[in-house]
Amino acid sequence: MAVLRVRHCRALLYCRRAPPRCPACGGDLRGAGLASAPVRLDSPFRHGHRQPRAFLVRPTRGTFLDGYDGHCDLHVGISSSQGVVYNYDQEGVHRDGRGWEQCISIPLVQPDMWELLQHWDSLLEEFSLEQAWLPHRYEEQQHNCFTLALAFINRVRQGRGGPALSKAEFTERFLLARSRDAARYLRLQQQLAHSDVYVVPLAEHEQEQESLPGSHSPLE
């Protein structure tokens, strides 16, 4: 179900359905004006098979909104122009047409990257066939799904004359802000599973805010 946000009396009220009165101050919300109108929050999760040419993250088992506790392993992949997700595990490279319906998504190719738009699928397929991604080369900590995804991104970056990104640099620049947004959204979902309204004082909310993910592509 959707999450709504209502701003009132120096507090943010998160709910599924806006209450008639503010639980923080008791004021009437129905006549509080446009400033207190409910706003639907965008989900940070995307249907991965509808996200072409993207870096995708999902739980290894289940989905973010169904049982994910913040501690389970995550799995990553790269999508083709048609939403087929290339990903790597102990069985080798998979090309998934389903199973990535709820992901954190980082778009990789900008509309002005004409050559990549044309050749993305062939580059991805050729890369996935390299010896490095055979099943026996898989190692859970050092040579895994993230290794394949970042190595492909770096291959494309270097082909465009850019430097390679380390795992730490990629995470800091492109993944961390989206992961924090997802974590906040999951906390709201958990709170609303036990309460009709979750109240956050504005001062606390402002302290939690991070800068929004930038529009730069990891390939730039």
Side-chain angles (χ1 to χ4, degrees), residues 105-135:
S105 175
I106 301 174
L108 296 175
V109 181
Q110 299 286 4
D112 62 349
M113 297 178 177
W114 306 110
E115 188 173 353
L116 278 180
L117 289 171
Q118 294 296 318
H119 299 292
W120 184 261
D121 289 353
S122 59
L123 291 171
L124 184 55
E125 178 63 21
E126 290 169 10
F127 182 82
S128 73
L129 296 174
E130 293 181 2
Q131 297 287 312
W133 317 117
L134 292 173

Side-chain angles (χ1 to χ4, degrees), residues 173-191:
R173 288 176 58 184
F174 301 107
L175 187 55
L176 194 57
R178 287 178 171 83
S179 297
R180 287 172 174 162
D181 286 345
R184 282 194 289 266
Y185 190 81
L186 288 174
R187 285 198 298 271
L188 290 176
Q189 293 282 355
Q190 292 163 0
Q191 291 289 339

Side-chain angles (χ1 to χ4, degrees), residues 98-175:
R98 60 176 182 165
W100 296 74
E101 289 80 12
Q102 197 178 98
C103 302
I104 295 171
S105 175
I106 301 174
L108 296 175
V109 181
Q110 299 286 4
D112 62 349
M113 297 178 177
W114 306 110
E115 188 173 353
L116 278 180
L117 289 171
Q118 294 296 318
H119 299 292
W120 184 261
D121 289 353
S122 59
L123 291 171
L124 184 55
E125 178 63 21
E126 290 169 10
F127 182 82
S128 73
L129 296 174
E130 293 181 2
Q131 297 287 312
W133 317 117
L134 292 173
H136 71 274
R137 299 291 301 276
Y138 181 85
E139 200 284 315
E140 186 174 2
Q141 299 300 321
Q142 300 298 326
H143 195 77
N144 51 36
C145 58
F146 203 114
T147 311
L148 177 140
L150 184 57
F152 178 69
I153 289 170
N154 280 331
R155 176 76 60 84
V156 175
R157 282 177 61 88
Q158 291 171 322
R160 292 170 53 83
L165 296 170
S166 68
K167 182 177 181 179
E169 187 177 11
F170 177 85
T171 300
E172 176 69 27
R173 288 176 58 184
F174 301 107
L175 187 55

